[in-house]
Amino acid sequence: MRVTIVGGGIIGCAVGHELASRGADVRIFDMRGTGRGATQASAGILAPYIEGHIDALLQLGINSLALYDRFLARVSADAQQPVEYERSGSLHIANNDAAAMELAIAARKFAHAGVAHELMPGHDAMRLEPGLSSRMISALLLPMHGYVRAAELTSALAAAAVRCGAHMMTANVEEICGRGPGVVAVKTTAGLIESDAVILAAGCWSGRVAPMTPPVRPVRGQLLHLHFNQRPVSRVVWGSECYLVPWRNGALLVGATVEEAGFDETATAAGVTRLLEASAALLTDIPQARFEAVRVGLRPGTPDELPLIGPSSTMRGVYYATGHYRNGVLLAPLTARLVADLVIDGKRDPELDLVRPDRFGL
Ligand SMILES: Cc1cc2nc3c(=O)[nH]c(=O)nc-3n(C[C@H](O)[C@H](O)[C@H](O)COP(=O)(O)OP(=O)(O)OC[C@H]3O[C@@H](n4cnc5c(N)ncnc54)[C@H](O)[C@@H]3O)c2cc1C
């Protein structure tokens, strides 16, 4: 089966690897080269219970996190590249009474649902993470959470897809068109490509590929990349104004702004200032960090914050895998499995009901 994928971000590469490893003849088109969209700015946090304010998203996040160990092992083996991935846990910080109350309510819900967690006073959290500010009132530890280096994972996914026979193409896909029974084509700046299925995984640019009209909009995120000589914390830290992700080499990601700025991918002084101030309130050593970079990405946002995964109801052979908003890294393994089950085996997994594109008439 010939499959064309529009977009080589983490979603396009994860879907491409899964399809190629199941024997499909895969072409992945990206107008910039793989992993240069929202994915390069991602913090790579794997934390369904943080982002789980929507029931369906929580369910999808939990299911996808459960796939992560095997997903990472397969990708690293197929790519023959290591990928930094840790289930280090996440520590949610309350610096005022209202936030402490929210953590206590969350802890009660987790206890009721049987989710492993530990609510602790600020001085106990300081023992776990001595670098954190002593202003902490309480903290909530969720040990199953973690992070992955998203750019490293995407590069490994692309390499793994190629080793399974996929082709990576640098070109802009302008249009998707029907070409008779069972054949769909994409019009690209490198020519017309016919295939049996086309997957639209173009992130926030998905609505720019004619004639598709998914309600996906860009939501800008700025993220700081700082560096310490030693890891300043050992887990993902989540505060009310920013989060921190420590890599093994001493790098610390500080994220992230959430801005409606259209397709503008520039970093701003206001964004950097906000993140520096917020992170200094969490971690006392922030002013001593080396400043490496600001990364900016456009998250593919949807009106209900849920992705669009599944077949187009208006064009046969076309499938959506887009709109992953703040959770594309977390949801990559599940998305890849759902799309491959559908395209290769015609199997509709029950999770697809939560993300049906036809809820927007697509
Ligand atoms: C600051 C920030 C922090 C984040 N943190 C997290 C996190 O901690 N955890 C998490 O799970 N998620 C996080 N996210 C969200 C996550 O990064 C996104 O959901 C994910 O990267 C989306 O992946 P994608 O492949 O759909 O889109 P993208 O990575 O944007 O990839 C889309 C690709 O399609 C290509 N493309 C577009 N149109 C065309 C076309 N017409 N022809 C050819 N190519 C095309 C683009 O060049 C691009 O490479 C974060 C995002 C940001 C910005």
Side-chain angles (χ1 to χ4, degrees), residues 7 9-11 29-32 37-39 41-45 171-173 202-203 205 209 221 243 256 297 299 324-330:
I10 193 161
I11 297 299
F29 279 90
D30 200 294
M31 59 190 180
R32 304 174 169 199
T39 300
S42 179
I45 299 172
N172 186 24
V173 175
W205 298 274
V209 181
Y243 55 75
R299 305 174 184 92
H324 290 72
Y325 189 37
R326 293 167 65 108
N327 290 288
V329 180
L330 172 63

PDB file of all heavy atoms in Angstrom, residues 7 9-11 29-32 37-39 41-45 171-173 202-203 205 209 221 243 256 297 299 324-330, ligand 1:
ATOM      1  N   GLY A   7       3.608  16.367   6.215  1.00  0.00           N
ATOM      2  CA  GLY A   7       4.106  16.891   7.487  1.00  0.00           C
ATOM      3  C   GLY A   7       5.032  15.896   8.158  1.00  0.00           C
ATOM      4  O   GLY A   7       4.673  14.732   8.377  1.00  0.00           O
ATOM      5  N   GLY A   9       6.550  16.422  11.286  1.00  0.00           N
ATOM      6  CA  GLY A   9       6.730  16.702  12.714  1.00  0.00           C
ATOM      7  C   GLY A   9       6.680  15.380  13.461  1.00  0.00           C
ATOM      8  O   GLY A   9       6.742  14.294  12.863  1.00  0.00           O
ATOM      9  N   ILE A  10       6.543  15.454  14.782  1.00  0.00           N
ATOM     10  CA  ILE A  10       6.550  14.200  15.545  1.00  0.00           C
ATOM     11  C   ILE A  10       5.388  13.302  15.136  1.00  0.00           C
ATOM     12  O   ILE A  10       5.529  12.070  15.105  1.00  0.00           O
ATOM     13  CB  ILE A  10       6.570  14.459  17.071  1.00  0.00           C
ATOM     14  CG1 ILE A  10       6.910  13.154  17.796  1.00  0.00           C
ATOM     15  CG2 ILE A  10       5.259  15.064  17.573  1.00  0.00           C
ATOM     16  CD1 ILE A  10       7.391  13.326  19.203  1.00  0.00           C
ATOM     17  N   ILE A  11       4.258  13.914  14.775  1.00  0.00           N
ATOM     18  CA  ILE A  11       3.092  13.090  14.414  1.00  0.00           C
ATOM     19  C   ILE A  11       3.323  12.405  13.060  1.00  0.00           C
ATOM     20  O   ILE A  11       3.173  11.174  12.937  1.00  0.00           O
ATOM     21  CB  ILE A  11       1.800  13.950  14.401  1.00  0.00           C
ATOM     22  CG1 ILE A  11       1.518  14.505  15.809  1.00  0.00           C
ATOM     23  CG2 ILE A  11       0.612  13.136  13.881  1.00  0.00           C
ATOM     24  CD1 ILE A  11       1.290  13.472  16.896  1.00  0.00           C
ATOM     25  N   PHE A  29       6.340  14.038   3.327  1.00  0.00           N
ATOM     26  CA  PHE A  29       6.711  15.343   2.771  1.00  0.00           C
ATOM     27  C   PHE A  29       6.769  16.384   3.876  1.00  0.00           C
ATOM     28  O   PHE A  29       5.839  16.490   4.687  1.00  0.00           O
ATOM     29  CB  PHE A  29       5.654  15.803   1.748  1.00  0.00           C
ATOM     30  CG  PHE A  29       5.831  15.170   0.406  1.00  0.00           C
ATOM     31  CD1 PHE A  29       5.203  13.969   0.108  1.00  0.00           C
ATOM     32  CD2 PHE A  29       6.638  15.769  -0.554  1.00  0.00           C
ATOM     33  CE1 PHE A  29       5.375  13.377  -1.127  1.00  0.00           C
ATOM     34  CE2 PHE A  29       6.814  15.175  -1.800  1.00  0.00           C
ATOM     35  CZ  PHE A  29       6.183  13.976  -2.088  1.00  0.00           C
ATOM     36  N   ASP A  30       7.835  17.153   3.916  1.00  0.00           N
ATOM     37  CA  ASP A  30       7.857  18.310   4.817  1.00  0.00           C
ATOM     38  C   ASP A  30       8.481  19.488   4.083  1.00  0.00           C
ATOM     39  O   ASP A  30       9.533  19.352   3.455  1.00  0.00           O
ATOM     40  CB  ASP A  30       8.621  18.026   6.105  1.00  0.00           C
ATOM     41  CG  ASP A  30       8.219  19.023   7.183  1.00  0.00           C
ATOM     42  OD1 ASP A  30       8.515  20.234   7.023  1.00  0.00           O
ATOM     43  OD2 ASP A  30       7.581  18.614   8.167  1.00  0.00           O
ATOM     44  N   MET A  31       7.832  20.636   4.208  1.00  0.00           N
ATOM     45  CA  MET A  31       8.315  21.813   3.469  1.00  0.00           C
ATOM     46  C   MET A  31       9.590  22.391   4.075  1.00  0.00           C
ATOM     47  O   MET A  31      10.308  23.125   3.418  1.00  0.00           O
ATOM     48  CB  MET A  31       7.220  22.889   3.424  1.00  0.00           C
ATOM     49  CG  MET A  31       6.755  23.373   4.787  1.00  0.00           C
ATOM     50  SD  MET A  31       5.300  24.415   4.657  1.00  0.00           S
ATOM     51  CE  MET A  31       5.013  24.813   6.392  1.00  0.00           C
ATOM     52  N   ARG A  32       9.893  22.050   5.365  1.00  0.00           N
ATOM     53  CA  ARG A  32      11.077  22.615   6.026  1.00  0.00           C
ATOM     54  C   ARG A  32      12.135  21.566   6.341  1.00  0.00           C
ATOM     55  O   ARG A  32      13.206  21.905   6.840  1.00  0.00           O
ATOM     56  CB  ARG A  32      10.687  23.187   7.388  1.00  0.00           C
ATOM     57  CG  ARG A  32       9.595  24.202   7.357  1.00  0.00           C
ATOM     58  CD  ARG A  32       9.219  24.575   8.777  1.00  0.00           C
ATOM     59  NE  ARG A  32       8.355  25.733   8.774  1.00  0.00           N
ATOM     60  CZ  ARG A  32       8.140  26.516   9.816  1.00  0.00           C
ATOM     61  NH1 ARG A  32       8.725  26.269  10.961  1.00  0.00           N
ATOM     62  NH2 ARG A  32       7.339  27.536   9.738  1.00  0.00           N
ATOM     63  N   GLY A  37       8.740  22.134  12.908  1.00  0.00           N
ATOM     64  CA  GLY A  37       7.521  22.887  13.239  1.00  0.00           C
ATOM     65  C   GLY A  37       7.409  23.025  14.747  1.00  0.00           C
ATOM     66  O   GLY A  37       8.407  23.282  15.443  1.00  0.00           O
ATOM     67  N   ALA A  38       6.218  22.840  15.279  1.00  0.00           N
ATOM     68  CA  ALA A  38       6.004  22.960  16.727  1.00  0.00           C
ATOM     69  C   ALA A  38       6.913  22.011  17.497  1.00  0.00           C
ATOM     70  O   ALA A  38       7.376  22.318  18.601  1.00  0.00           O
ATOM     71  CB  ALA A  38       4.545  22.644  17.050  1.00  0.00           C
ATOM     72  N   THR A  39       7.201  20.871  16.890  1.00  0.00           N
ATOM     73  CA  THR A  39       7.938  19.815  17.597  1.00  0.00           C
ATOM     74  C   THR A  39       9.293  20.278  18.130  1.00  0.00           C
ATOM     75  O   THR A  39       9.687  19.905  19.237  1.00  0.00           O
ATOM     76  CB  THR A  39       8.100  18.606  16.645  1.00  0.00           C
ATOM     77  OG1 THR A  39       6.793  18.149  16.278  1.00  0.00           O
ATOM     78  CG2 THR A  39       8.858  17.474  17.292  1.00  0.00           C
ATOM     79  N   ALA A  41      10.144  22.968  19.356  1.00  0.00           N
ATOM     80  CA  ALA A  41      10.043  23.830  20.543  1.00  0.00           C
ATOM     81  C   ALA A  41       9.474  23.083  21.745  1.00  0.00           C
ATOM     82  O   ALA A  41       9.405  23.630  22.847  1.00  0.00           O
ATOM     83  CB  ALA A  41       9.152  25.031  20.227  1.00  0.00           C
ATOM     84  N   SER A  42       9.079  21.837  21.529  1.00  0.00           N
ATOM     85  CA  SER A  42       8.328  21.145  22.584  1.00  0.00           C
ATOM     86  C   SER A  42       9.170  20.832  23.813  1.00  0.00           C
ATOM     87  O   SER A  42      10.355  20.502  23.716  1.00  0.00           O
ATOM     88  CB  SER A  42       7.781  19.835  22.016  1.00  0.00           C
ATOM     89  OG  SER A  42       7.081  19.161  23.024  1.00  0.00           O
ATOM     90  N   ALA A  43       8.531  20.892  24.971  1.00  0.00           N
ATOM     91  CA  ALA A  43       9.209  20.535  26.223  1.00  0.00           C
ATOM     92  C   ALA A  43       9.275  19.017  26.399  1.00  0.00           C
ATOM     93  O   ALA A  43      10.032  18.526  27.236  1.00  0.00           O
ATOM     94  CB  ALA A  43       8.477  21.158  27.399  1.00  0.00           C
ATOM     95  N   GLY A  44       8.446  18.280  25.661  1.00  0.00           N
ATOM     96  CA  GLY A  44       8.494  16.817  25.737  1.00  0.00           C
ATOM     97  C   GLY A  44       7.971  16.225  27.037  1.00  0.00           C
ATOM     98  O   GLY A  44       8.300  15.090  27.384  1.00  0.00           O
ATOM     99  N   ILE A  45       7.146  16.983  27.749  1.00  0.00           N
ATOM    100  CA  ILE A  45       6.614  16.462  29.019  1.00  0.00           C
ATOM    101  C   ILE A  45       5.562  15.392  28.713  1.00  0.00           C
ATOM    102  O   ILE A  45       4.715  15.570  27.826  1.00  0.00           O
ATOM    103  CB  ILE A  45       5.984  17.592  29.857  1.00  0.00           C
ATOM    104  CG1 ILE A  45       7.040  18.637  30.203  1.00  0.00           C
ATOM    105  CG2 ILE A  45       5.349  17.057  31.134  1.00  0.00           C
ATOM    106  CD1 ILE A  45       6.488  19.882  30.874  1.00  0.00           C
ATOM    107  N   ALA A 171       9.570  19.116   0.382  1.00  0.00           N
ATOM    108  CA  ALA A 171       8.756  19.828  -0.613  1.00  0.00           C
ATOM    109  C   ALA A 171       7.460  20.263   0.052  1.00  0.00           C
ATOM    110  O   ALA A 171       7.048  19.684   1.073  1.00  0.00           O
ATOM    111  CB  ALA A 171       8.440  18.919  -1.808  1.00  0.00           C
ATOM    112  N   ASN A 172       6.845  21.281  -0.529  1.00  0.00           N
ATOM    113  CA  ASN A 172       5.581  21.793  -0.003  1.00  0.00           C
ATOM    114  C   ASN A 172       4.417  21.063  -0.678  1.00  0.00           C
ATOM    115  O   ASN A 172       4.400  20.943  -1.903  1.00  0.00           O
ATOM    116  CB  ASN A 172       5.526  23.302  -0.310  1.00  0.00           C
ATOM    117  CG  ASN A 172       4.319  23.964   0.311  1.00  0.00           C
ATOM    118  OD1 ASN A 172       3.767  23.472   1.293  1.00  0.00           O
ATOM    119  ND2 ASN A 172       3.897  25.067  -0.262  1.00  0.00           N
ATOM    120  N   VAL A 173       3.493  20.560   0.106  1.00  0.00           N
ATOM    121  CA  VAL A 173       2.289  19.955  -0.475  1.00  0.00           C
ATOM    122  C   VAL A 173       1.232  21.051  -0.593  1.00  0.00           C
ATOM    123  O   VAL A 173       0.836  21.647   0.407  1.00  0.00           O
ATOM    124  CB  VAL A 173       1.778  18.792   0.397  1.00  0.00           C
ATOM    125  CG1 VAL A 173       0.463  18.252  -0.155  1.00  0.00           C
ATOM    126  CG2 VAL A 173       2.820  17.688   0.480  1.00  0.00           C
ATOM    127  N   ALA A 202      -0.013  18.016   9.097  1.00  0.00           N
ATOM    128  CA  ALA A 202       0.737  19.255   8.848  1.00  0.00           C
ATOM    129  C   ALA A 202       0.622  20.251   9.994  1.00  0.00           C
ATOM    130  O   ALA A 202       0.825  21.453   9.810  1.00  0.00           O
ATOM    131  CB  ALA A 202       0.275  19.875   7.536  1.00  0.00           C
ATOM    132  N   GLY A 203       0.301  19.759  11.199  1.00  0.00           N
ATOM    133  CA  GLY A 203       0.260  20.625  12.379  1.00  0.00           C
ATOM    134  C   GLY A 203      -0.640  21.828  12.146  1.00  0.00           C
ATOM    135  O   GLY A 203      -1.722  21.715  11.532  1.00  0.00           O
ATOM    136  N   TRP A 205      -0.492  24.126  10.173  1.00  0.00           N
ATOM    137  CA  TRP A 205      -0.634  24.520   8.764  1.00  0.00           C
ATOM    138  C   TRP A 205      -1.616  23.605   8.019  1.00  0.00           C
ATOM    139  O   TRP A 205      -1.779  23.723   6.805  1.00  0.00           O
ATOM    140  CB  TRP A 205       0.725  24.477   8.065  1.00  0.00           C
ATOM    141  CG  TRP A 205       1.721  25.437   8.647  1.00  0.00           C
ATOM    142  CD1 TRP A 205       1.880  26.757   8.308  1.00  0.00           C
ATOM    143  CD2 TRP A 205       2.705  25.164   9.661  1.00  0.00           C
ATOM    144  NE1 TRP A 205       2.892  27.307   9.070  1.00  0.00           N
ATOM    145  CE2 TRP A 205       3.424  26.357   9.905  1.00  0.00           C
ATOM    146  CE3 TRP A 205       3.048  24.037  10.395  1.00  0.00           C
ATOM    147  CZ2 TRP A 205       4.449  26.449  10.842  1.00  0.00           C
ATOM    148  CZ3 TRP A 205       4.075  24.131  11.338  1.00  0.00           C
ATOM    149  CH2 TRP A 205       4.757  25.322  11.549  1.00  0.00           C
ATOM    150  N   VAL A 209      -3.597  23.312   3.319  1.00  0.00           N
ATOM    151  CA  VAL A 209      -3.429  22.342   2.232  1.00  0.00           C
ATOM    152  C   VAL A 209      -4.801  22.196   1.559  1.00  0.00           C
ATOM    153  O   VAL A 209      -5.715  21.617   2.127  1.00  0.00           O
ATOM    154  CB  VAL A 209      -2.944  20.980   2.780  1.00  0.00           C
ATOM    155  CG1 VAL A 209      -2.748  19.987   1.648  1.00  0.00           C
ATOM    156  CG2 VAL A 209      -1.655  21.146   3.584  1.00  0.00           C
ATOM    157  N   GLY A 221       3.959  29.219  21.278  1.00  0.00           N
ATOM    158  CA  GLY A 221       4.579  28.894  22.568  1.00  0.00           C
ATOM    159  C   GLY A 221       6.047  29.259  22.517  1.00  0.00           C
ATOM    160  O   GLY A 221       6.747  28.910  21.574  1.00  0.00           O
ATOM    161  N   TYR A 243       6.755  25.850  33.833  1.00  0.00           N
ATOM    162  CA  TYR A 243       7.241  24.515  34.225  1.00  0.00           C
ATOM    163  C   TYR A 243       8.727  24.406  33.892  1.00  0.00           C
ATOM    164  O   TYR A 243       9.269  25.202  33.113  1.00  0.00           O
ATOM    165  CB  TYR A 243       6.438  23.398  33.532  1.00  0.00           C
ATOM    166  CG  TYR A 243       6.376  23.486  32.020  1.00  0.00           C
ATOM    167  CD1 TYR A 243       7.468  23.149  31.227  1.00  0.00           C
ATOM    168  CD2 TYR A 243       5.212  23.887  31.375  1.00  0.00           C
ATOM    169  CE1 TYR A 243       7.412  23.219  29.853  1.00  0.00           C
ATOM    170  CE2 TYR A 243       5.142  23.978  29.990  1.00  0.00           C
ATOM    171  CZ  TYR A 243       6.240  23.642  29.231  1.00  0.00           C
ATOM    172  OH  TYR A 243       6.194  23.718  27.857  1.00  0.00           O
ATOM    173  N   ALA A 256       5.935  27.560  29.372  1.00  0.00           N
ATOM    174  CA  ALA A 256       5.916  28.044  27.996  1.00  0.00           C
ATOM    175  C   ALA A 256       4.815  29.087  27.921  1.00  0.00           C
ATOM    176  O   ALA A 256       3.843  29.013  28.682  1.00  0.00           O
ATOM    177  CB  ALA A 256       5.618  26.921  27.016  1.00  0.00           C
ATOM    178  N   GLY A 297       7.395  27.795  18.932  1.00  0.00           N
ATOM    179  CA  GLY A 297       6.651  26.839  18.112  1.00  0.00           C
ATOM    180  C   GLY A 297       5.190  27.223  18.051  1.00  0.00           C
ATOM    181  O   GLY A 297       4.677  27.888  18.956  1.00  0.00           O
ATOM    182  N   ARG A 299       1.713  25.681  18.190  1.00  0.00           N
ATOM    183  CA  ARG A 299       0.952  24.461  18.514  1.00  0.00           C
ATOM    184  C   ARG A 299      -0.281  24.390  17.613  1.00  0.00           C
ATOM    185  O   ARG A 299      -0.924  25.414  17.385  1.00  0.00           O
ATOM    186  CB  ARG A 299       0.478  24.486  19.961  1.00  0.00           C
ATOM    187  CG  ARG A 299       1.550  24.698  21.012  1.00  0.00           C
ATOM    188  CD  ARG A 299       0.878  24.847  22.367  1.00  0.00           C
ATOM    189  NE  ARG A 299       1.799  25.147  23.443  1.00  0.00           N
ATOM    190  CZ  ARG A 299       2.110  26.381  23.835  1.00  0.00           C
ATOM    191  NH1 ARG A 299       1.584  27.429  23.225  1.00  0.00           N
ATOM    192  NH2 ARG A 299       2.938  26.570  24.834  1.00  0.00           N
ATOM    193  N   HIS A 324      -3.014  18.337  17.593  1.00  0.00           N
ATOM    194  CA  HIS A 324      -2.628  17.764  18.894  1.00  0.00           C
ATOM    195  C   HIS A 324      -2.308  18.820  19.946  1.00  0.00           C
ATOM    196  O   HIS A 324      -1.927  18.489  21.074  1.00  0.00           O
ATOM    197  CB  HIS A 324      -1.445  16.808  18.721  1.00  0.00           C
ATOM    198  CG  HIS A 324      -1.798  15.548  17.999  1.00  0.00           C
ATOM    199  ND1 HIS A 324      -2.062  15.508  16.654  1.00  0.00           N
ATOM    200  CD2 HIS A 324      -1.962  14.280  18.440  1.00  0.00           C
ATOM    201  CE1 HIS A 324      -2.355  14.271  16.297  1.00  0.00           C
ATOM    202  NE2 HIS A 324      -2.304  13.501  17.367  1.00  0.00           N
ATOM    203  N   TYR A 325      -2.393  20.069  19.596  1.00  0.00           N
ATOM    204  CA  TYR A 325      -2.278  21.212  20.505  1.00  0.00           C
ATOM    205  C   TYR A 325      -1.108  21.056  21.486  1.00  0.00           C
ATOM    206  O   TYR A 325       0.031  21.006  21.067  1.00  0.00           O
ATOM    207  CB  TYR A 325      -3.613  21.422  21.224  1.00  0.00           C
ATOM    208  CG  TYR A 325      -3.687  22.713  22.025  1.00  0.00           C
ATOM    209  CD1 TYR A 325      -3.089  23.882  21.556  1.00  0.00           C
ATOM    210  CD2 TYR A 325      -4.346  22.778  23.251  1.00  0.00           C
ATOM    211  CE1 TYR A 325      -3.149  25.067  22.287  1.00  0.00           C
ATOM    212  CE2 TYR A 325      -4.413  23.960  23.984  1.00  0.00           C
ATOM    213  CZ  TYR A 325      -3.796  25.093  23.497  1.00  0.00           C
ATOM    214  OH  TYR A 325      -3.837  26.254  24.224  1.00  0.00           O
ATOM    215  N   ARG A 326      -1.356  20.917  22.795  1.00  0.00           N
ATOM    216  CA  ARG A 326      -0.263  20.895  23.793  1.00  0.00           C
ATOM    217  C   ARG A 326       0.250  19.496  24.081  1.00  0.00           C
ATOM    218  O   ARG A 326       1.079  19.315  24.969  1.00  0.00           O
ATOM    219  CB  ARG A 326      -0.768  21.496  25.112  1.00  0.00           C
ATOM    220  CG  ARG A 326      -1.090  22.961  25.027  1.00  0.00           C
ATOM    221  CD  ARG A 326      -1.867  23.420  26.238  1.00  0.00           C
ATOM    222  NE  ARG A 326      -1.108  23.318  27.453  1.00  0.00           N
ATOM    223  CZ  ARG A 326      -0.622  24.363  28.132  1.00  0.00           C
ATOM    224  NH1 ARG A 326      -0.834  25.571  27.707  1.00  0.00           N
ATOM    225  NH2 ARG A 326       0.057  24.191  29.232  1.00  0.00           N
ATOM    226  N   ASN A 327      -0.263  18.480  23.343  1.00  0.00           N
ATOM    227  CA  ASN A 327       0.025  17.095  23.749  1.00  0.00           C
ATOM    228  C   ASN A 327       0.522  16.187  22.629  1.00  0.00           C
ATOM    229  O   ASN A 327       0.405  14.973  22.737  1.00  0.00           O
ATOM    230  CB  ASN A 327      -1.260  16.500  24.356  1.00  0.00           C
ATOM    231  CG  ASN A 327      -1.560  17.141  25.695  1.00  0.00           C
ATOM    232  OD1 ASN A 327      -0.876  16.899  26.683  1.00  0.00           O
ATOM    233  ND2 ASN A 327      -2.553  18.028  25.713  1.00  0.00           N
ATOM    234  N   GLY A 328       1.092  16.778  21.592  1.00  0.00           N
ATOM    235  CA  GLY A 328       1.490  15.951  20.450  1.00  0.00           C
ATOM    236  C   GLY A 328       2.584  14.946  20.778  1.00  0.00           C
ATOM    237  O   GLY A 328       2.611  13.846  20.216  1.00  0.00           O
ATOM    238  N   VAL A 329       3.474  15.301  21.687  1.00  0.00           N
ATOM    239  CA  VAL A 329       4.558  14.370  22.023  1.00  0.00           C
ATOM    240  C   VAL A 329       3.979  13.214  22.845  1.00  0.00           C
ATOM    241  O   VAL A 329       4.222  12.038  22.571  1.00  0.00           O
ATOM    242  CB  VAL A 329       5.686  15.103  22.784  1.00  0.00           C
ATOM    243  CG1 VAL A 329       6.803  14.138  23.138  1.00  0.00           C
ATOM    244  CG2 VAL A 329       6.212  16.260  21.932  1.00  0.00           C
ATOM    245  N   LEU A 330       3.171  13.567  23.829  1.00  0.00           N
ATOM    246  CA  LEU A 330       2.521  12.533  24.645  1.00  0.00           C
ATOM    247  C   LEU A 330       1.675  11.601  23.771  1.00  0.00           C
ATOM    248  O   LEU A 330       1.694  10.380  23.939  1.00  0.00           O
ATOM    249  CB  LEU A 330       1.632  13.211  25.707  1.00  0.00           C
ATOM    250  CG  LEU A 330       0.730  12.299  26.523  1.00  0.00           C
ATOM    251  CD1 LEU A 330       1.543  11.312  27.359  1.00  0.00           C
ATOM    252  CD2 LEU A 330      -0.196  13.118  27.431  1.00  0.00           C
TER     253      LEU A 330
HETATM  254  C1  LIG B   1       6.559  25.614  23.565  1.00  0.00           C
HETATM  255  C2  LIG B   1       5.854  24.290  23.370  1.00  0.00           C
HETATM  256  C3  LIG B   1       5.912  23.337  24.371  1.00  0.00           C
HETATM  257  C4  LIG B   1       5.267  22.115  24.206  1.00  0.00           C
HETATM  258  N1  LIG B   1       5.379  21.176  25.164  1.00  0.00           N
HETATM  259  C5  LIG B   1       4.784  19.970  25.008  1.00  0.00           C
HETATM  260  C6  LIG B   1       4.952  18.953  25.970  1.00  0.00           C
HETATM  261  O1  LIG B   1       5.622  19.179  26.987  1.00  0.00           O
HETATM  262  N2  LIG B   1       4.368  17.745  25.762  1.00  0.00           N
HETATM  263  C7  LIG B   1       3.625  17.489  24.632  1.00  0.00           C
HETATM  264  O2  LIG B   1       3.113  16.369  24.500  1.00  0.00           O
HETATM  265  N3  LIG B   1       3.437  18.428  23.695  1.00  0.00           N
HETATM  266  C8  LIG B   1       4.014  19.664  23.847  1.00  0.00           C
HETATM  267  N4  LIG B   1       3.853  20.632  22.913  1.00  0.00           N
HETATM  268  C9  LIG B   1       2.960  20.371  21.782  1.00  0.00           C
HETATM  269  C10 LIG B   1       3.654  19.549  20.708  1.00  0.00           C
HETATM  270  O3  LIG B   1       4.921  20.098  20.451  1.00  0.00           O
HETATM  271  C11 LIG B   1       2.790  19.554  19.446  1.00  0.00           C
HETATM  272  O4  LIG B   1       1.498  19.065  19.747  1.00  0.00           O
HETATM  273  C12 LIG B   1       3.423  18.644  18.386  1.00  0.00           C
HETATM  274  O5  LIG B   1       4.755  19.041  18.141  1.00  0.00           O
HETATM  275  C13 LIG B   1       2.626  18.706  17.098  1.00  0.00           C
HETATM  276  O6  LIG B   1       3.293  17.900  16.178  1.00  0.00           O
HETATM  277  P1  LIG B   1       2.870  17.885  14.661  1.00  0.00           P
HETATM  278  O7  LIG B   1       3.728  16.897  13.978  1.00  0.00           O
HETATM  279  O8  LIG B   1       1.391  17.743  14.553  1.00  0.00           O
HETATM  280  O9  LIG B   1       3.146  19.378  14.171  1.00  0.00           O
HETATM  281  P2  LIG B   1       4.514  20.092  13.783  1.00  0.00           P
HETATM  282  O10 LIG B   1       5.632  19.688  14.641  1.00  0.00           O
HETATM  283  O11 LIG B   1       4.214  21.548  13.673  1.00  0.00           O
HETATM  284  O12 LIG B   1       4.833  19.493  12.353  1.00  0.00           O
HETATM  285  C14 LIG B   1       4.069  19.821  11.222  1.00  0.00           C
HETATM  286  C15 LIG B   1       5.021  19.733  10.052  1.00  0.00           C
HETATM  287  O13 LIG B   1       4.271  19.850   8.858  1.00  0.00           O
HETATM  288  C16 LIG B   1       5.058  20.559   7.923  1.00  0.00           C
HETATM  289  N5  LIG B   1       4.122  21.113   6.931  1.00  0.00           N
HETATM  290  C17 LIG B   1       3.087  21.937   7.179  1.00  0.00           C
HETATM  291  N6  LIG B   1       2.406  22.193   6.040  1.00  0.00           N
HETATM  292  C18 LIG B   1       3.046  21.517   5.066  1.00  0.00           C
HETATM  293  C19 LIG B   1       2.838  21.380   3.680  1.00  0.00           C
HETATM  294  N7  LIG B   1       1.814  21.993   3.062  1.00  0.00           N
HETATM  295  N8  LIG B   1       3.691  20.631   2.951  1.00  0.00           N
HETATM  296  C20 LIG B   1       4.747  20.007   3.558  1.00  0.00           C
HETATM  297  N9  LIG B   1       4.988  20.092   4.875  1.00  0.00           N
HETATM  298  C21 LIG B   1       4.145  20.821   5.618  1.00  0.00           C
HETATM  299  C22 LIG B   1       5.769  21.609   8.749  1.00  0.00           C
HETATM  300  O14 LIG B   1       6.944  22.065   8.105  1.00  0.00           O
HETATM  301  C23 LIG B   1       6.044  20.873  10.042  1.00  0.00           C
HETATM  302  O15 LIG B   1       7.338  20.295  10.078  1.00  0.00           O
HETATM  303  C24 LIG B   1       4.516  21.855  23.020  1.00  0.00           C
HETATM  304  C25 LIG B   1       4.477  22.811  22.006  1.00  0.00           C
HETATM  305  C26 LIG B   1       5.155  24.008  22.169  1.00  0.00           C
HETATM  306  C27 LIG B   1       5.128  25.019  21.055  1.00  0.00           C
END
